[in-house]
Amino acid sequence: MTGTYDWNPMPHKVEIKCPACGGHCIFEFADVVKISLKKDVPFFKQSDIFEYSIFKDGCGHKWHGAIYFANLHGGSINAITDLPDGYSPENWSHSKYLTRNHGLDLGAFSCSHCQTRKPYILQWPQDAYYSFSYKGEVLWAFNRESAVDLRDYIASNERKTEKFKWASFLLHIPTIFKKQNARDNIVKQINKAVA
């Protein structure tokens, strides 16, 4: 499916089907900080906390980056200590905006069912835990909270997005899912998933 629904900004954490067991798990996007000085590259290459990689910007210029997977370290930046001068743990904090500083779908998942916790490249929306099909089209939600808003919005006769926390997400739902004849089917699927 193309259109504005696909370009909706994503939260830093989304709920996905576990790539290891298929159960419910949490995926969190990684944060990448540019390594500004070449002398700092060995520190990040040898670190147990960071992964090192070479990235390419839009112009084709290469740059060194230190990748931090918060989801592998308790979901916080508390594991980051003893950095070279010029770096702070806060550099690897998520942006207050729903954007990623590296433009990649790189992150890590943690599953409470099979206990798997590892880096992963997100395949969205195929990985979405809250995913619903109708007439060959797929409707998805980022997490349980947005799925509940999605259900309540579709079930509503008024369809006033401003009443919902996930209003900007709801603005991008394709028309096929908002039609009267789709309502019962979609609402039943969502109810089953969020139960």
Side-chain angles (χ1 to χ4, degrees), residues 14-84:
V14 292
E15 296 175 36
I16 66 170
K17 292 174 276 202
C18 176
C21 74
H24 174 269
C25 75
I26 303 296
F27 173 89
E28 184 172 0
F29 287 103
D31 283 286
V32 179
V33 170
K34 185 176 184 176
I35 301 170
S36 49
L37 299 173
K38 218 170 198 171
K39 72 176 182 68
D40 296 332
V41 169
F43 171 86
F44 291 105
K45 275 186 171 179
Q46 296 165 8
S47 173
D48 293 335
I49 301 293
F50 298 98
E51 282 197 22
Y52 163 82
S53 188
I54 296 178
F55 294 87
K56 203 183 273 192
D57 66 19
C59 299
H61 299 108
K62 292 182 180 178
W63 55 278
H64 303 272
I67 307 164
Y68 180 69
F69 298 94
N71 203 3
L72 300 181
H73 301 282
S76 76
I77 56 170
N78 294 341
I80 303 172
T81 58
D82 301 324
L83 291 166

Side-chain angles (χ1 to χ4, degrees), residues 94-125:
H94 291 311
S95 163
K96 65 179 180 175
Y97 304 105
L98 299 182
T99 59
R100 295 181 291 287
N101 64 356
H102 48 78
L104 305 173
D105 289 332
L106 179 65
F109 72 90
S110 57
C111 180
S112 58
H113 298 287
C114 68
Q115 305 305 313
T116 304
R117 183 181 292 251
K118 60 197 256 183
Y120 184 69
I121 296 175
L122 185 67
Q123 314 286 312
W124 195 264

Side-chain angles (χ1 to χ4, degrees), residues 99-169:
T99 59
R100 295 181 291 287
N101 64 356
H102 48 78
L104 305 173
D105 289 332
L106 179 65
F109 72 90
S110 57
C111 180
S112 58
H113 298 287
C114 68
Q115 305 305 313
T116 304
R117 183 181 292 251
K118 60 197 256 183
Y120 184 69
I121 296 175
L122 185 67
Q123 314 286 312
W124 195 264
Q126 297 87 342
D127 286 334
Y129 185 79
Y130 296 101
S131 179
F132 317 101
S133 296
Y134 180 75
K135 292 191 175 182
E137 298 290 332
V138 177
L139 180 66
W140 46 260
F142 297 121
N143 50 37
R144 186 180 191 285
E145 184 182 60
S146 64
V148 169
D149 266 9
L150 179 63
R151 177 201 61 199
D152 294 348
Y153 176 75
I154 287 175
S156 168
N157 287 323
E158 295 180 347
R159 302 258 170 90
K160 294 185 177 178
T161 56
E162 64 272 6
K163 292 176 13 181
F164 298 94
K165 179 180 178 186
W166 289 89
S168 62
F169 163 69

